Amino acid sequence: MLNNYNEFSIDKKSVKSTLGRNPNEFEWDVLKHFYFSQFLNNPIPGINKIINHGENILWINNSTQLSVGLESKGSVTSFSAGSASTVIGTKPKLTYKSKQSKISFGISHHSIPQLQSITGQESLFFLKNSKELVSACNNILQLGSVIIKQINPSSLGYSLNLLSNNKYGMDLHFSSAKQISILSDKSSHGVLIAANQKLSTKIKGICKKNNQSCLHLGNLKTVQFLSISIRNKRKVNLPLSTLNIAELPKISIVPAIPKTLK
């Protein structure tokens, strides 16, 4: 992925101006991972408006969803054709293949109403890709009041920012400082779940029953700040505006991605 785009940069002056101060070392690390994730998932400004990134799930009616997954060799964004079906709790029903590309279609029926929009009070979960992921997603969808988003390699930070839509803040919790690398880690892909906070225990129970890894990332909030805590100690409190600086970057940085998360 992105063999020719393995470096990116940040305009530190704009970050300092937006924040009103110089970020501390850990805050810089967090920003680097969010920016790096955004860079990898939108390497050419405006390209996602053309390919409709994230718009591959269609509602046929109030209970039926259709997924369309695209995949091509050499793509600068690592989309997987089958992942689109995973987020609606099913496997592809129809797949067309060529030497260079693949397109898959999936369809799913849900009798329980799903969450149609974000309110800013949802719990956030990351489920890493596995053989059990489709089954876990299907069972979680039966709870209702959830939204499941496809997470491609390196796209967790990018997708969290899209979910917040520069409108809702995030309270994220990690067990160690190194774990923030999951935000832009190329080996991390699966699904992001936003659900009614009352469903948190049930979601964890479903994942445990299905032997599916489940990372409770934290919660959305109405205050427009990104807060990150490490072992219940707050280390970051940044306004959302620092995640959405539009100016082109200048100073080259590449965050270190450990092979294993601790």
Side-chain angles (χ1 to χ4, degrees), residues 33-174:
H33 284 295
F34 269 102
Y35 294 153
F36 192 47
S37 179
Q38 180 172 333
F39 171 79
L40 291 176
N41 287 273
N42 191 23
I44 304 173
I47 192 173
N48 287 343
K49 293 181 180 180
I50 299 174
I51 62 177
N52 290 323
H53 175 73
E55 299 298 329
N56 50 4
I57 306 299
L58 308 174
W59 283 94
I60 305 302
N61 52 44
N62 291 335
S63 61
T64 304
Q65 288 178 291
L66 174 69
S67 67
V68 182
L70 302 173
E71 181 179 332
S72 62
K73 291 183 179 180
S75 172
V76 295
T77 51
S78 296
F79 296 165
S80 170
S83 297
S85 295
T86 299
V87 303
I88 61 173
T90 188
K91 294 182 179 180
K93 305 299 183 184
L94 183 64
T95 298
Y96 292 99
K97 297 180 180 180
S98 71
K99 291 182 178 180
Q100 298 297 325
S101 62
K102 180 191 298 185
I103 180 170
S104 295
F105 300 89
I107 191 166
S108 183
H109 304 278
H110 303 289
S111 58
I112 300 176
Q114 301 303 315
L115 196 62
Q116 297 293 324
S117 60
I118 296 296
T119 65
Q121 298 179 337
E122 289 79 10
S123 287
L124 302 171
F125 298 88
F126 173 63
L127 277 59
K128 197 168 184 177
N129 190 52
S130 71
K131 294 180 180 179
E132 295 78 21
L133 185 57
V134 172
S135 178
C137 286
N138 183 54
N139 290 334
I140 289 170
L141 285 167
Q142 302 308 313
L143 299 175
S145 299
V146 301
I147 289 178
I148 301 182
K149 296 290 187 180
Q150 176 180 338
I151 299 299
N152 297 305
S154 304
S155 72
L156 182 57
Y158 176 69
S159 298
L160 282 169
N161 196 25
L162 283 181
L163 193 68
S164 76
N165 196 29
N166 206 26
K167 181 179 180 181
Y168 301 114
M170 295 175 277
D171 275 327
L172 305 182
H173 309 278
F174 296 101

